[in-house]
Amino acid sequence: MQAKKRYFILSAVSCLALLFYFGGLQFRAAKSHSRREGHSGRNGLHHPSPDHFWPRFPDALRPFVPWDQLENEDSNVHISHRQKRDANSSIYKGKKCRMESCFDFTLCKKNGFKVYVYPQQKGEKIAESYQNILAAIEGSRFYTSDPSQACLFVLSLDTLDRDQLSPQYVHNLRSKVQSLHLWNNGRNHLIFNLYSGTWPDYTEDVGFDIGQAMLAKASISTENFRPNFDVSIPLFSKDHPRTGGERGFLKFNTIPPLRKYMLVFKGKRYLTGIGSDTRNALYHVHNGEDVLLLTTCKHGKDWQKHKDSRCDRDNTEYEKYDYREMLHNATFCLVPRGRRLGSFRFLEALQAACVPVMLSNGWELPFSEVINWNQAAVIGDERLLLQIPSTIRSIHQDKILALRQQTQFLWEAYFSSVEKIVLTTLEIIQDRIFKHISRNSLIWNKHPGGLFVLPQYSSYLGDFPYYYANLGVKPPSKFTAVIHAVTPLVSQSQPVLKLLVAAAKSQYCAQIIVLWNCDKPLPAKHRWPATAVPVIVIEGESKVMSSRFLPYDNIITDAVLSLDEDTVLSTTEVDFAFTVWQSFPERIVGYPARSHFWDNSKERWGYTSKWTNDYSMVLTGAAIYHKYYHYLYTHYLPASLKNMVDQLANCEDILMNFLVSAVTKLPPIKVTQKKQYKETMMGQTSRASRWADPDHFAQRQSCMNTFASWFGYMPLMHSQMRLDPVLFKDQVSILRKKYRDIERL
């Protein structure tokens, strides 16, 4: 008995010794490894993760291996274990990065939010999609060509497609990035990526160590997404428009909200590998009537090798239906995961006003930091596929219409072009940096959206015309008249003085600003007529056309009455126009109207001043609008367009109409003027007037097309609505009419 006991004790001691020996080796190896890696820490310091000290478990216990030691399960024998380990570690090295820990805010506080794009290196290939991204940055108000002024840096090396099997794959990216003298371990860098990993496992590895760089990445998982650091972007095709983009399709089919099909999908069915489980199960829900979930096995070179018993039947059913017809006639569109979490179906559904039904567990939805997707999509669960039809059938028609309307807003505000996707990404990052003026959820999720509501203007929603109704704020009760003067004051009977007096007599006028853009010196104070309201004369420093739209601090009211010096308006007309504007504070409201048209013979946009029932512009020579548009004109529009206006001394009114229509997605509003207005305006045209210049009209034609090219589409919208004082909110007898002077003349 004693011998057995001694034997048992000896065996136990031996086992403990062996365990300590091998465990100690692993522990020492881990410590040695951590010391070797220590040089990569900032300032020579290294803060090893506790996970580095865990030994690797045998295969039977692989589910318990820490996330940063998981091996790639790729069966590709050409990749060594070391390569697999390095590839996986490159995803997670900056796993804990946040703006507070991996971003240098001092660069932004010094010079503002400026973005630098590295110069393109000779011989480097860049795909069209990445060229569009870089062009969007370089054409934005954030761009700087001086790296010393930059707050954010973007590579010129194409990082969009990191699938090694893709022809767009850029080789040796790791060494190329590390050689950049501004790289600084990725700090304050932004990397765009659409495709990562490759067949058969499709990991989220981008193939090089991104260091402390932020990722603007498509198909990113919630597991790997670093909140308040990365930006989830949508997967978009190489044909996605660079600027502008088509409007959504809701206008073609609004009521009733229910369409021909309840739920549709048409796409590939993966027979093996990642993404196969979800799509292979769709046939269980397909009913061939109002739920059409069509898949095909017919893709890839060797699909027949993996062909199953359902393939022929599925392929036949797949060919029966046209995808676009289904898309535009469906209430809900299924967006299941593919090989990667994201799918082209997502943007296609948004544009088509087909409510996306997300079926991609773990996908961090695009711009999730600012967009409330519950207002525009149904978030499904791949494990509950069979419950989806009954779930969407239970959604009330009112809710469906609201969901569809929100898809249109989000599509047009953030997704319809590469430029909007890029600008949304940059604006999100800017909001993180300047938190004290960042946009709230209401701004991002309600028209006109975050790209047109600049927080640098104001942090109070009531200062923007779009939110009066939401906040219960009444439109302003006073306006500031801004008169643009370009000719010298030589006579007391000049139109500018009569106009000044007429505007000053308005019960709604708070003050008058005369912008003196004339080459002659300012007239003496006694030359200006005495008025009951203050008259401020500002001498333009540059004396260019765009200066009339500068956001002057002297403008104390939200409403601006913009006037040309030779405009003929009575006090009654001013009062009526302002009353109308109070009901439409986000639009331009005024008198002289113009229109645009498409000239088929010249294949370009045309401009017409003919007096017709149709109009799409109200000129700013006699118009009222919100003063925020001065700020947008100055800070949102590119210098190239404003320089063109200033060089021509023309088209500034057209450009303002383009801007306001692009923001509101609505036409301006024309109010009815005196009957003699047309004759008066035509009669006052003199040879000295710019309107008499034969080149003036040709220039305006050219401006139309230049502006449309920059916006990427034609934002102007036609209207035939005219508001007349006889009918507008004036239900009293003729003797008590408020605007009898307009009716009588």
Side-chain angles (χ1 to χ4, degrees):
M1 191 71 181
Q2 287 294 106
K4 286 184 179 180
K5 189 173 182 179
R6 285 196 299 272
Y7 177 77
F8 176 78
I9 293 172
L10 182 62
S11 300
V13 170
S14 300
C15 289
L16 285 172
L18 286 171
L19 182 62
F20 178 81
Y21 176 75
F22 289 111
L25 281 179
Q26 288 179 318
F27 183 78
R28 286 192 296 274
K31 288 181 68 175
S32 175
H33 177 71
S34 70
R35 284 195 294 269
R36 288 196 300 270
E37 295 293 326
H39 70 278
S40 63
R42 191 182 178 196
N43 300 325
L45 298 176
H46 179 69
H47 305 282
S49 166
D51 296 315
H52 287 170
F53 303 129
W54 283 94
R56 189 177 298 279
F57 291 99
D59 288 346
L61 297 175
R62 285 187 66 118
F64 298 98
V65 179
W67 50 259
D68 64 346
Q69 291 187 5
L70 281 171
E71 284 196 357
N72 191 327
E73 294 181 2
D74 187 357
S75 59
N76 191 334
V77 295
H78 299 293
I79 299 179
S80 69
H81 288 288
R82 182 175 180 178
Q83 287 174 315
K84 294 175 188 176
R85 184 193 65 211
D86 291 344
N88 279 311
S89 64
S90 70
I91 307 175
Y92 302 112
K93 268 185 181 175
K95 179 82 175 177
K96 295 182 179 179
C97 266
R98 299 296 183 267
M99 295 294 289
E100 295 75 16
S101 59
C102 294
F103 193 88
D104 185 356
F105 289 86
T106 58
L107 297 176
C108 308
K109 292 177 180 176
K110 181 181 177 183
N111 302 311
F113 187 66
K114 296 294 181 184
V115 185
Y116 173 75
V117 177
Y118 283 84
Q120 187 172 342
Q121 298 182 14
K122 204 169 184 179
E124 289 292 343
K125 62 180 181 179
I126 299 182
E128 184 179 357
S129 293
Y130 198 59
Q131 288 177 345
N132 289 342
I133 287 176
L134 299 183
I137 297 172
E138 291 170 353
S140 74
R141 68 184 185 280
F142 302 121
Y143 175 70
T144 178
S145 58
D146 182 359
S148 67
Q149 297 290 313
C151 163
L152 190 68
F153 300 83
V154 176
L155 305 178
S156 62
L157 297 164
D158 190 346
T159 56
L160 279 193
D161 195 340
R162 302 305 298 152
D163 184 340
Q164 294 181 29
L165 300 179
S166 169
Q168 306 294 339
Y169 181 80
V170 177
H171 295 273
N172 304 319
L173 197 54
R174 182 180 311 197
S175 59
K176 292 174 182 177
V177 169
Q178 294 294 335
S179 67
L180 298 173
H181 70 286
L182 297 172
W183 175 243
N184 190 27
N185 193 33
R187 202 166 180 83
N188 286 53
H189 280 66
L190 177 65
I191 294 171
F192 287 90
N193 176 254
L194 292 183
Y195 307 99
S196 60
T198 191
W199 186 89
D201 54 302
Y202 296 96
T203 66
E204 294 184 30
D205 174 35
V206 295
F208 67 98
D209 181 8
I210 65 171
Q212 295 180 336
M214 291 180 282
L215 278 175
K217 183 168 174 32
S219 306
I220 192 168
S221 66
T222 54
E223 180 184 357
N224 292 329
F225 179 76
R226 296 169 294 180
N228 197 37
F229 195 68
D230 293 331
V231 180
S232 177
I233 63 174
L235 183 65
F236 59 88
S237 71
K238 62 181 180 179
D239 300 320
H240 204 58
R242 186 177 74 82
T243 60
E246 288 185 81
R247 294 196 67 180
F249 300 143
L250 181 62
K251 59 183 181 292
F252 300 128
N253 184 3
T254 307
I255 303 294
L258 294 176
R259 296 179 175 180
K260 179 180 178 182
Y261 306 116
M262 177 58 69
L263 178 67
V264 301
F265 171 75
K266 189 176 184 184
K268 299 174 183 176
R269 177 160 72 88
Y270 305 115
L271 298 168
T272 59
I274 287 179
S276 59
D277 292 346
T278 301
R279 296 199 179 190
N280 284 347
L282 296 184
Y283 79 98
H284 290 295
V285 182
H286 171 82
N287 64 16
E289 296 175 0
D290 64 343
V291 177
L292 301 179
L293 305 183
L294 308 171
T295 58
T296 178
C297 308
K298 199 182 294 184
H299 59 88
K301 296 178 181 178
D302 57 350
W303 69 273
Q304 289 185 325
K305 291 181 182 178
H306 305 285
K307 183 177 176 181
D308 61 21
S309 59
R310 285 199 352 259
C311 276
D312 289 336
R313 184 171 70 253
D314 286 354
N315 292 343
T316 302
E317 189 80 354
Y318 183 90
E319 298 296 336
K320 288 181 182 179
Y321 296 88
D322 177 73
Y323 174 62
R324 293 192 68 82
E325 189 273 336
M326 290 170 55
L327 191 66
H328 295 164
N329 289 283
T331 305
F332 295 92
C333 285
L334 195 68
V335 184
R337 65 158 295 153
R339 292 299 196 193
R340 299 174 178 88
L341 292 172
S343 168
F344 291 124
R345 298 292 180 270
F346 179 67
L347 289 188
E348 291 167 353
L350 279 185
Q351 183 182 13
C354 186
V355 180
V357 178
M358 313 307 300
L359 207 64
S360 184
N361 290 11
W363 180 21
E364 188 72 27
L365 294 181
F367 304 138
S368 55
E369 188 173 329
V370 296
I371 294 178
N372 181 0
W373 283 108
N374 289 321
Q375 296 178 3
V378 176
I379 315 298
D381 189 315
E382 292 176 82
R383 297 165 298 181
L384 303 176
L385 170 65
L386 299 181
Q387 295 182 20
I388 284 179
S390 59
T391 300
I392 60 176
R393 290 185 196 279
S394 68
I395 301 176
H396 194 273
Q397 290 196 21
D398 291 347
K399 176 65 174 176
I400 291 173
L401 183 57
L403 289 167
R404 292 181 62 198
Q405 289 172 334
Q406 189 69 359
T407 64
Q408 300 304 273
F409 159 65
L410 294 175
W411 164 259
E412 293 179 10
Y414 308 121
F415 297 107
S416 62
S417 68
V418 175
E419 180 186 52
K420 288 178 182 175
I421 293 171
V422 170
L423 291 180
T424 304
T425 302
L426 297 181
E427 293 281 10
I428 289 172
I429 296 172
Q430 182 182 218
D431 272 7
R432 295 172 184 168
I433 297 168
F434 303 104
K435 288 184 178 179
H436 61 292
I437 56 169
S438 61
R439 281 153 281 217
N440 61 27
S441 180
L442 174 65
I443 292 175
W444 282 107
N445 292 279
K446 192 169 181 62
H447 181 82
L451 300 188
F452 284 125
V453 178
L454 306 185
Q456 294 81 3
Y457 173 75
S458 175
S459 58
Y460 172 53
L461 293 184
D463 288 335
F464 299 91
Y466 325 111
Y467 307 115
Y468 288 162
N470 292 87
L471 299 174
V473 174
K474 290 184 178 180
S477 58
K478 297 285 185 178
F479 66 79
T480 296
V482 179
I483 302 176
H484 187 230
V486 294
T487 56
L489 194 61
V490 296
S491 168
Q492 293 301 111
S493 62
Q494 280 182 236
V496 65
L497 299 182
K498 295 179 180 178
L499 179 63
L500 191 151
V501 171
K505 287 181 179 178
S506 170
Q507 60 182 310
Y508 305 112
C509 184
Q511 61 175 352
I512 295 176
I513 293 176
V514 178
L515 180 60
W516 190 257
N517 267 355
C518 178
D519 294 331
K520 301 295 182 181
L522 277 173
K525 286 186 178 180
H526 72 271
R527 300 287 303 276
W528 301 102
T531 58
V533 298
V535 176
I536 303 169
V537 182
I538 300 175
E539 187 168 13
E541 294 181 9
S542 54
K543 300 187 187 302
V544 293
M545 296 303 294
S546 291
S547 65
R548 72 183 300 175
F549 297 137
L550 286 173
Y552 294 104
D553 292 336
N554 306 81
I555 301 176
I556 60 174
T557 62
D558 283 347
V560 174
L561 170 61
S562 177
L563 298 165
D564 284 343
E565 63 179 1
D566 54 357
T567 297
V568 178
L569 279 182
S570 67
T571 303
T572 305
E573 289 172 302
V574 170
D575 284 351
F576 175 59
F578 182 71
T579 304
V580 173
W581 178 84
Q582 287 179 308
S583 295
F584 305 95
E586 75 282 8
R587 303 206 217 180
I588 297 177
V589 174
Y591 287 99
R594 300 291 185 267
S595 189
H596 74 287
F597 64 94
W598 179 254
D599 189 334
N600 281 316
S601 61
K602 297 180 180 178
E603 294 189 340
R604 57 179 298 182
W605 293 105
Y607 170 89
T608 178
S609 57
K610 291 181 179 178
W611 289 62
T612 64
N613 289 331
D614 193 271
Y615 68 92
S616 57
M617 291 172 275
V618 167
L619 303 187
T620 53
I624 301 175
Y625 50 78
H626 197 281
K627 74 173 180 179
Y628 176 58
Y629 292 123
H630 278 198
Y631 189 88
L632 266 188
Y633 185 99
T634 303
H635 296 286
Y636 177 82
L637 294 175
S640 59
L641 296 188
K642 290 178 287 189
N643 290 339
M644 175 185 178
V645 163
D646 295 338
Q647 289 169 7
L648 295 174
N650 195 357
C651 303
E652 82 288 351
D653 48 359
I654 297 177
L655 183 54
M656 180 60 89
N657 273 270
F658 266 72
L659 175 63
V660 176
S661 290
V663 174
T664 63
K665 305 294 187 294
L666 295 168
I669 291 178
K670 176 173 172 51
V671 287
T672 305
Q673 68 282 333
K674 295 180 294 184
K675 295 177 182 177
Q676 75 207 43
Y677 180 81
K678 177 180 177 182
E679 290 75 16
T680 305
M681 290 295 290
M682 298 299 288
Q684 76 179 34
T685 303
S686 64
R687 296 183 66 85
S689 171
R690 60 176 180 151
W691 298 95
D693 185 349
D695 292 332
H696 181 81
F697 189 78
Q699 289 172 351
R700 292 172 80 79
Q701 298 272 8
S702 178
C703 288
M704 294 281 293
N705 291 278
T706 302
F707 298 162
S709 176
W710 183 82
F711 279 91
Y713 70 110
M714 171 52 72
L716 298 179
M717 301 182 69
H718 290 281
S719 176
Q720 294 184 353
M721 183 175 77
R722 285 165 171 75
L723 294 182
D724 191 294
V726 176
L727 303 173
F728 187 78
K729 294 185 177 180
D730 205 6
Q731 301 172 1
V732 296
S733 69
I734 187 66
L735 297 176
R736 294 171 57 202
K737 289 284 185 181
K738 290 167 66 176
Y739 308 107
R740 284 179 292 168
D741 290 343
I742 302 178
E743 299 172 39
R744 193 164 49 234
L745 295 172

